[in-house]
Amino acid sequence: MTRAANTVMTLYHWNILILPSGEEIFVGLRQRPETVPPFKPADEEDELLPFTLRNSSPITEFKQTQGIGYTESGRRYVVIGQPSDPTGLIRLSVTQMMPTEQINWKYPFSD
């Protein structure tokens, strides 16, 4: 078993991006592991945000009702709640990666 197979990525703001190839990937915000307490809001003394943006490898399986998916790299993704992007950071990062006309989200954002 690979190390990736033992890795769980938890996304607390997320969606699934459908690539022009038809493959689907998770895109979302993940708590930085060194941030304590989890999801602590940034304050003016923080040099880094308490989260990182995460893009997955292509999804091989996703159980939406359970919020659990698996990717080609062997990672397990756990998504919390409905697809959301209240800060706009997920959508902004994707618009910087690819032309707007190629961006196709699987689910509407619930923010």
Side-chain angles (χ1 to χ4, degrees), residues 28-68:
L29 301 182
R30 177 177 186 248
Q31 174 210 343
R32 282 189 17 242
E34 66 274 17
T35 303
V36 177
F39 311 118
K40 170 188 163 290
D43 58 42
E44 46 187 65
E45 295 180 14
D46 288 333
E47 293 182 20
L48 298 172
L49 293 174
F51 54 82
T52 59
L53 184 69
R54 180 81 188 176
N55 297 337
S56 75
S57 62
I59 298 169
T60 57
E61 179 183 359
F62 180 54
K63 298 175 184 175
Q64 183 182 3
T65 56
Q66 296 171 330
I68 298 172

Side-chain angles (χ1 to χ4, degrees), residues 3-46:
R3 178 183 156 127
N6 294 322
T7 304
V8 176
M9 298 289 172
T10 302
L11 303 178
Y12 59 96
H13 292 300
W14 65 279
N15 206 328
I16 293 176
L17 178 65
I18 302 170
L19 301 174
S21 66
E23 293 177 308
E24 299 178 352
I25 64 171
F26 291 109
V27 181
L29 301 182
R30 177 177 186 248
Q31 174 210 343
R32 282 189 17 242
E34 66 274 17
T35 303
V36 177
F39 311 118
K40 170 188 163 290
D43 58 42
E44 46 187 65
E45 295 180 14
D46 288 333

